[in-house]
Amino acid sequence: MKNVKHVIAISSCKGGVGKSTIACALALELAHRGLKTGLLDADIYGPSLPSLFQLRDAKVQSNEFKLLAPIAYKGLKLMSFGFLLGDAPAVMRGPIVTRYIQQLLFQTDWGELDYLILDMPPGTGDIQLTITQSIKLTGAVIVTTHHSLSLVDTARGILMFEKVKVPILGVIENMAYFSAPDTGKKYCIFGEQKAGALSKRFGVKTLAEIPVLAQLSGDMRAYQANPFIQKAADELLQAVELAQLCQSELKDAGYRDGKVVLVFSDGRELSAPAFDLRANCQCALCVSEVTGQRLVNAKKIPADINPQEILPLGNYAVGITWSDGHSSGIYPYSMFK
């Protein structure tokens, strides 16, 4: 891994949103631009990379250094537990899974790479923790849909990565809509969101809105350059550059005179009343994902509500655990003055 410049985790924290397909498409786009790129399928229980690239019969060999030689495809270096296991089911406990994922990371001869894309398994379990504790990730991209359950898991994913000090580079909204080929009319399959809704709610940037595309539904070997994927790749590269430039902008976060106070490295201070932040929380427990109505009764919030823990979330928001036990809220800097 010493010759890998950037490691990017593509995560969803929920299955069925097209995360693996997006990870493959982004890796192909980066490789097409001449960037040295690797793609690791980190899902031990349900590896998808062999199926997406129709490489079920590919056999991984070890080289003279007893390292696994990744499968080469169109400038990409591919590795998946599926190449080692074939079609047999992976029936194993957590500690064994941890060892396998470490083997795929550290005993694969990646060589020199500009980007290693990690197609993370859905959820926030052992594999995710093993990866975040074993290597330094440049950042993570969350893939989601407009479906309410996916948005709930988006918040969980953001909090999970930030708690282990992995910056969120942005969100990709997949299957955002379907354009009818005969009329061009847009149909929002999972519900329509206002522009910038995710940024307002979670404080993170939306890298791209990708519609339902036929070419992303089949063999990735037939993938051709697509403007939506190209835009997502452009935004990803910019987010990586920005993440390198903006390290530790938030210097301190605390509680003073009934307010949550944020102090930045350039001397700026932002603050907001603790009660107002708690009452205006945008998490799924506080706002209905279906109707948008507030579920919180402000009269039931203690007047002396105060933060028990303030967790910086990259350079865009903080997560707060409150004295009433509420802990799933994300509070963008835009909520502070």
Side-chain angles (χ1 to χ4, degrees):
M1 298 291 292
K2 65 179 180 180
N3 293 320
V4 178
K5 293 180 182 179
H6 298 291
V7 183
I8 309 294
I10 309 295
S11 179
S12 66
C13 300
K14 178 178 177 56
V17 298
K19 165 191 56 64
S20 294
T21 300
I22 295 300
C24 292
L26 283 173
L28 282 167
E29 176 62 30
L30 294 178
H32 178 72
R33 299 183 182 194
L35 295 167
K36 298 175 182 178
T37 308
L39 174 60
L40 172 60
D41 181 355
D43 194 341
I44 299 297
Y45 293 112
S48 56
L49 196 152
S51 296
L52 286 170
F53 283 94
Q54 297 297 304
L55 295 171
R56 295 186 185 89
D57 296 327
K59 301 297 181 183
V60 173
Q61 306 293 329
S62 58
N63 61 20
E64 65 271 25
F65 303 108
K66 296 184 178 180
L67 296 174
L68 299 174
I71 303 297
Y73 178 78
K74 286 190 175 181
L76 274 178
K77 292 181 178 180
L78 307 175
M79 180 54 68
S80 170
F81 191 65
F83 294 148
L84 306 176
L85 190 66
D87 293 328
V91 182
M92 60 189 75
R93 295 185 181 274
I96 303 298
V97 173
T98 296
R99 271 183 266 165
Y100 274 121
I101 196 64
Q102 288 177 329
Q103 181 182 15
L104 292 177
L105 277 170
F106 300 119
Q107 294 183 23
T108 296
D109 188 6
W110 294 111
E112 291 188 6
L113 291 180
D114 295 308
Y115 289 89
L116 176 59
I117 304 297
L118 303 184
D119 178 16
M120 303 284 278
T124 55
D126 288 344
I127 295 179
Q128 288 83 355
L129 290 176
T130 295
I131 291 174
T132 56
Q133 292 171 356
S134 299
I135 59 175
K136 180 176 176 56
L137 296 177
T138 302
V141 174
I142 307 293
V143 179
T144 187
T145 67
H146 285 160
H147 192 280
S148 60
L149 289 178
S150 298
L151 296 179
V152 170
D153 287 312
T154 296
R156 291 186 184 134
I158 291 173
L159 289 170
M160 189 259 319
F161 278 113
E162 293 292 356
K163 283 183 178 180
V164 291
K165 309 300 182 185
V166 177
I168 301 298
L169 300 174
V171 173
I172 291 178
E173 297 182 48
N174 194 28
M175 297 179 281
Y177 57 88
F178 168 73
S179 291
D182 53 345
T183 65
K185 183 178 179 180
K186 289 184 179 181
Y187 294 90
C188 297
I189 302 171
F190 296 111
E192 189 171 1
Q193 293 272 349
K194 294 182 179 178
L198 280 180
S199 296
K200 181 179 179 180
R201 186 160 193 171
F202 300 122
V204 297
K205 184 177 182 179
T206 298
L207 302 180
E209 290 185 347
I210 300 176
V212 176
L213 298 172
Q215 69 175 128
L216 296 182
S217 302
D219 188 347
M220 291 303 294
R221 295 179 301 176
Y223 172 78
Q224 300 293 325
N226 179 278
F228 296 100
I229 300 300
Q230 290 174 327
K231 180 183 185 302
D234 289 339
E235 295 292 340
L236 172 61
L237 294 176
Q238 291 180 20
V240 168
E241 183 178 356
L242 184 62
Q244 301 302 301
L245 295 175
C246 301
Q247 294 291 332
S248 303
E249 184 182 356
L250 182 61
K251 184 179 179 181
D252 189 29
Y255 178 65
R256 184 196 315 155
D257 299 328
K259 296 182 177 182
V260 176
V261 181
L262 308 180
V263 181
F264 294 84
S265 55
D266 60 2
R268 290 182 300 130
E269 281 196 9
L270 296 177
S271 66
F275 184 90
D276 291 351
L277 289 174
R278 174 66 183 90
N280 290 283
C281 177
Q282 297 292 312
C283 81
L285 296 178
C286 298
V287 177
S288 170
E289 298 286 352
V290 178
T291 66
Q293 293 182 336
R294 296 209 58 79
L295 303 176
V296 175
N297 185 347
K299 294 181 180 179
K300 294 184 178 181
I301 300 175
D304 60 349
I305 190 82
N306 61 87
Q308 300 295 295
E309 180 186 14
I310 304 174
L311 175 69
L313 305 180
N315 292 303
Y316 54 88
V318 291
I320 301 177
T321 298
W322 296 100
S323 54
D324 65 353
H326 186 69
S327 62
S328 58
I330 293 175
Y331 305 89
Y333 292 161
S334 58
M335 296 182 72
F336 296 78
K337 295 181 180 180

